[in-house]
Amino acid sequence: MRKMICSLRRLRGSIELPGDKSVSHRALILNAIARGEAVVENFQGGADCLATLRCLRALGVKIEWDGQGPLRIHGGGRFGLRESGDVLNAGNSATTIRLLAGLLAGQPFFSVLTGDASLRSRPMERVVDPLRAMGTRIRGRAGGTHPPLVIEGGPLRGIRYRLPVASAQVKSALSLAALYGEGETVLTEPAPSRDHTERMLRAMGVEVVGEEGGGLRISPPQRELTPLSLRVPGDISAAAFWMVAAAAHPDAEIRLIGVGVNPTRSGIIDALASMGASIALEEERMWGAEPVADIVVRSSSLRGTVIEGPLIPRLIDEIPVLAVAASLAQGETVIRQARELRVKESDRIRTTVLELRRLGASIEELPDGMIIQGVGCLQGGVCASHGDHRLAMTMAVAGLLAQGETVVRGAEAASVSYPDFWHHLEQLSSHR
Ligand code: S3P
């Protein structure tokens, strides 16, 4: 599918974001192994979260959802899952395959996990190696490095493990396995990654102790997990597209309603603020274990910045769209220590550089990031998503800010995490 985007003279509007993708996956998975019923409001129905939902149904979990309203999930307890009669397909979703690998490692049955071509090319040894160390029999294509993964689950033992990269998917997979491990599991990572799993596990009655310098300590619980009903915060990774659009536009004011502002996710706010963006957080409140706010972003005069170190895991998914802001800022922006971008849904260093150049950006590839010189304005052109949802939406924002018309090929990819994205863009376009 192709979408055409034109620049707008004014950008005004208020947007309710889809539910957070990371929180939606976890609300399903953790409630699936609690005992009893939970109601999840604002569940995100993008293709990734639907993949998790289907896999859990195949594992015998009863989930009621009409595609819009509250979702009801009936957890059968820690040992309430049953062997699936078929291969579990995670589609495009690394969160699904990695978290389920951790969960299934501790189950007394056989599972096969696979995904689409993009997912089958992504690294899995980051979960396979530590899960093997916990005692599970897990094998994968290409020496255990790629899906399909075959898991013969069973009793596990706790481990002490330092993650080689800051990754919430790995940390969460191992935390799930730790619920089935004999003894304690201690995890540390190079920099703090998103902590939704820890917050939710605590709210469900599991003791998760924070370790000094980040990391956590977790033991198998003595009791069943308590179901956790919650309202999923709006996805800050989706909000980021409108934040950049408003900050870099000459005449804009956008209000984003009910956005999750968990500090392990809010790096985009800090990065844009350091570039001089006008961003205000209003009505700060808690939705269950997660902080939420309305975010108002106005036209700003942006300047270049440096994005590196512990900031990287706090905004890893927002880097492509930040490159758009950097292209329209004054001066140079350097993004480094972000090699992880190369193993996302696409190689996001390569694809961001390639596609933004098509619109006139001055952007150079580094092995672990990019250097961007602000060019003042972008020119419309034809660009592609590479089947990557965040690239599709990044290029739409670039098109909105560029002169003339922009065509985004492969625009359907946005539905992986933000099914209403194109509709919201139309709403902004018709708002005068
Ligand atoms: C996610 C963690 C991040 C992020 C992904 C979602 C999660 O990946 O990029 O979109 O829900 O845990 P890594 O764990 O690989 O950093």
Side-chain angles (χ1 to χ4, degrees), residues 338-417:
R339 194 182 289 270
E340 274 294 294
L341 290 173
R342 295 214 179 265
V343 289
K344 295 293 181 187
E345 286 82 333
S346 68
D347 172 345
R348 285 187 180 153
I349 296 180
R350 190 180 68 80
T351 52
T352 303
V353 167
L354 183 70
E355 297 304 323
L356 282 180
R357 275 187 185 157
R358 293 190 205 279
L359 304 194
S362 168
I363 171 167
E364 189 193 318
E365 188 171 335
L366 300 176
D368 64 347
M370 41 194 124
I371 299 181
I372 304 148
Q373 309 296 336
V375 286
C377 79
L378 295 171
Q379 297 296 331
V382 178
C383 50
S385 72
H386 299 259
D388 181 337
H389 56 128
R390 301 216 190 273
L391 243 291
M393 295 184 274
T394 292
M395 297 317 296
V397 170
L400 197 59
L401 297 165
Q403 286 177 350
E405 285 172 6
T406 297
V407 172
V408 179
R409 291 191 289 121
E412 68 284 350
S415 63
V416 158
S417 63

Side-chain angles (χ1 to χ4, degrees), residues 59 85 101 119 147 170 191 232 237 269 300 374 409:
L59 291 162
L119 189 62
V170 176
V232 179
S237 298
I269 299 178
S300 322
R409 291 191 289 121

Side-chain angles (χ1 to χ4, degrees), residues 36-122:
E37 185 185 309
V39 178
V40 181
E41 287 177 79
N42 202 29
F43 173 75
Q44 201 238 93
D48 272 12
C49 295
L50 289 183
T52 293
L53 186 150
R54 276 191 219 104
C55 289
L56 290 171
R57 277 187 179 150
L59 291 162
V61 184
K62 185 174 164 202
I63 305 172
E64 298 167 89
W65 195 48
D66 66 3
Q68 289 188 345
L71 175 149
R72 254 167 229 284
I73 173 161
H74 304 260
R78 239 171 2 126
F79 288 98
L81 303 177
R82 61 163 165 71
E83 184 172 282
S84 168
D86 203 348
V87 169
L88 299 164
N89 193 337
N92 192 240
S93 174
T95 306
T96 307
I97 199 166
R98 293 193 179 125
L99 268 61
L100 288 186
L103 176 66
L104 294 170
Q107 309 300 324
F109 54 72
F110 173 88
S111 304
V112 183
L113 285 160
T114 191
D116 70 8
S118 155
L119 189 62
R120 279 183 275 116
S121 73
R122 294 181 64 185

